[in-house]
Amino acid sequence: MTIGEPRHPFPGWVGDVMAQHAGDFGKYPPNDGTPELRVAIAGYLQRRYGVTVGDDRIIPLNGTREGLFNTLLALCPEEKRGQRPVVLIPNPFYQVYGVAALAAGAEPVYVPATAGSGFLPDYTALAPEVLDRVAVAYLCSPSNPQGAVADNGYWTSLIELAETHDFKIFADECYCEIYRDAPAPGLLQIAQAQGGDPERAVVFHSLSKRSNLPGLRSGFVAGGRQSIERVRHLRAYAGAPQPLPVQRVAEHAWADDAHVEDNRALYRRKYAVADDVFAGLPEYTPPEAGFFLWLPVADSEAAALRLWRETGVRVLPGRYFSRVVNGEDPGAGYVRVALVAAEDEVRRGLTLIRDCLYQ
Ligand SMILES: Cc1ncc(COP(=O)(O)O)c(C=O)c1O
């Protein structure tokens, strides 16, 4: 229950599509992705969010992780208003945000995403001098590790803040297809409805969680025309485009929603298992979306070790996702539990966790 590696089956046609196009391993793939793949992605964005995004505003990625890194290199200026730029990062966070900020020469500013702030960072509470230096704000929704979802109001005020202080928002939406009831709203959808500068919104999506294909290494970035042009420029020199047969599989995957619904149904069953196992436990916050539980404990490492020693269940200490800021570590009092295994295995694991840590 440590790594967030999906273990549900991926669609049965993946191997066939790959084999059908195996001859294309003999060709250099286009840097920007095939037009067919970009059109399939645009179709997905239309169906999922009701947004119209030209295929020139989309670039396929080798999974979102490299995109979250390289897109910051492409879009973070060397200076903002004559000063070192700031990159805002929720705390706890997916590690690549911090690595990207440092590689781009920016100052990472970690903003607590705790129970008190609905497990999302309150960027609006930062000092105006800091906000004026912000080049990019990362936001993960549905969030890893807490499973929190940024609602319309959250996105709207973040977009307003970005307009006021002139920065871009990088929305990591790779868990957007795994939710309980209502689909999580996306940044492009809210930004388009708000009618602001389209260059502010940059979104990242992945087939890793949507289609259970973490090994395919396939995702995309979409954003404003100028932003995507800069990403394209960087990739023309330093990119590693996806092999054509992989792009063909991705094209099929983005065009198909049936397998995504089946997958979501499996996760819904596991949310129900978690709600059942932890029923009545005041410490338990049911995740809104994604496939992690973020469980409070006295000490994250001690709890993970005890669990492993006494039950054989492995989880990740929350402090491996967080930074100490002003003496506070928002991950130190949590463990992260991945609900990726089969339902019966998840029930067994969660029951052991409950009995070991909460009774
Ligand atoms: C929050 C978050 N973003 C991005 C990724 C990267 O996913 P991938 O590179 O497989 O698309 C992960 C993977 O676990 C993640 O948890």
Side-chain angles (χ1 to χ4, degrees):
M1 300 180 120
T2 49
I3 302 175
E5 181 180 71
R7 298 211 213 118
H8 299 162
F10 56 75
W13 38 257
V14 167
D16 295 338
V17 176
M18 184 75 91
Q20 214 180 319
H21 295 279
D24 288 345
F25 278 118
K27 295 181 189 160
Y28 275 118
N31 276 317
D32 309 349
T34 62
E36 293 87 347
L37 172 53
R38 284 186 275 115
V39 166
I41 292 170
Y44 164 72
L45 288 172
Q46 182 75 57
R47 294 194 310 283
R48 174 65 174 79
Y49 297 111
V51 292
T52 305
V53 179
D55 75 303
D56 58 335
R57 290 176 49 193
I58 293 166
I59 293 192
L61 302 170
N62 295 63
T64 45
R65 189 176 53 187
E66 66 89 356
L68 287 160
F69 180 86
N70 286 309
T71 307
L72 192 73
L73 289 193
L75 296 181
C76 187
E78 284 171 30
E79 287 192 336
K80 169 112 187 265
R81 298 176 203 233
Q83 291 179 283
R84 187 179 177 204
V86 160
V87 170
L88 299 182
I89 297 176
N91 192 17
F93 59 103
Y94 184 59
Q95 291 89 337
V96 76
Y97 313 152
V99 174
L102 293 174
E107 180 190 342
V109 169
Y110 300 99
V111 180
T114 57
S117 63
F119 291 113
L120 293 169
D122 183 5
Y123 292 144
T124 62
L126 291 168
E129 312 83 80
V130 175
L131 289 166
D132 280 339
R133 284 174 53 214
V134 173
V136 168
Y138 280 102
L139 193 82
C140 185
S141 173
S143 69
N144 171 10
Q146 310 98 321
V149 170
D151 61 13
N152 291 10
Y154 184 96
W155 282 125
T156 303
S157 53
L158 182 55
I159 295 166
E160 279 167 12
L161 196 71
E163 290 283 347
T164 307
H165 296 278
D166 185 24
F167 62 81
K168 292 183 196 292
I169 304 165
F170 280 16
D172 180 351
E173 299 180 340
C174 68
Y175 292 97
C176 70
E177 294 292 14
I178 302 169
Y179 52 81
R180 283 176 185 254
D181 308 312
L187 172 61
L188 283 184
Q189 168 189 12
I190 312 289
Q192 226 170 65
Q194 221 163 314
D197 178 357
E199 299 299 332
R200 303 240 170 261
V202 182
V203 303
F204 298 85
H205 284 252
S206 175
L207 291 177
S208 299
K209 330 288 176 187
R210 179 179 189 269
S211 304
N212 299 313
L213 286 168
L216 192 72
R217 310 308 305 131
S218 189
F220 70 85
V221 55
R225 208 160 263 114
Q226 288 158 29
S227 304
I228 294 301
E229 188 47 43
R230 282 187 71 86
V231 176
R232 182 176 291 121
H233 202 180
L234 175 66
R235 294 179 95 77
Y237 294 99
Q242 293 183 289
L244 277 166
V246 169
Q247 296 197 36
R248 293 294 176 202
V249 173
E251 185 189 320
H252 270 67
W254 290 114
D256 180 59
D257 294 326
H259 74 281
V260 184
E261 276 158 34
D262 294 347
N263 190 36
R264 187 159 46 241
L266 294 177
Y267 283 113
R268 282 184 173 146
R269 293 171 64 105
K270 294 195 282 192
Y271 292 142
V273 168
D275 293 350
D276 179 39
V277 170
F278 293 112
L281 203 79
E283 294 90 340
Y284 173 65
T285 305
E288 288 177 78
F291 55 52
F292 298 109
L293 302 185
W294 186 236
L295 297 177
V297 290
D299 175 299
S300 72
E301 252 177 351
L305 267 175
R306 177 168 167 218
L307 200 57
W308 190 9
R309 286 198 179 114
E310 293 182 13
T311 70
V313 175
R314 285 194 294 167
V315 297
L316 275 178
R319 80 172 186 80
Y320 295 1
F321 297 91
S322 56
R323 285 296 166 99
V324 180
V325 179
N326 299 330
E328 299 284 325
D329 184 343
Y334 289 87
V335 290
R336 191 193 76 172
V337 182
L339 306 179
V340 288
E343 186 183 332
D344 56 344
E345 213 180 321
V346 164
R347 181 176 285 279
R348 199 157 58 90
L350 295 185
T351 306
L352 287 165
I353 291 172
R354 181 197 60 198
D355 294 349
C356 176
L357 297 183
Y358 298 105
Q359 294 203 342

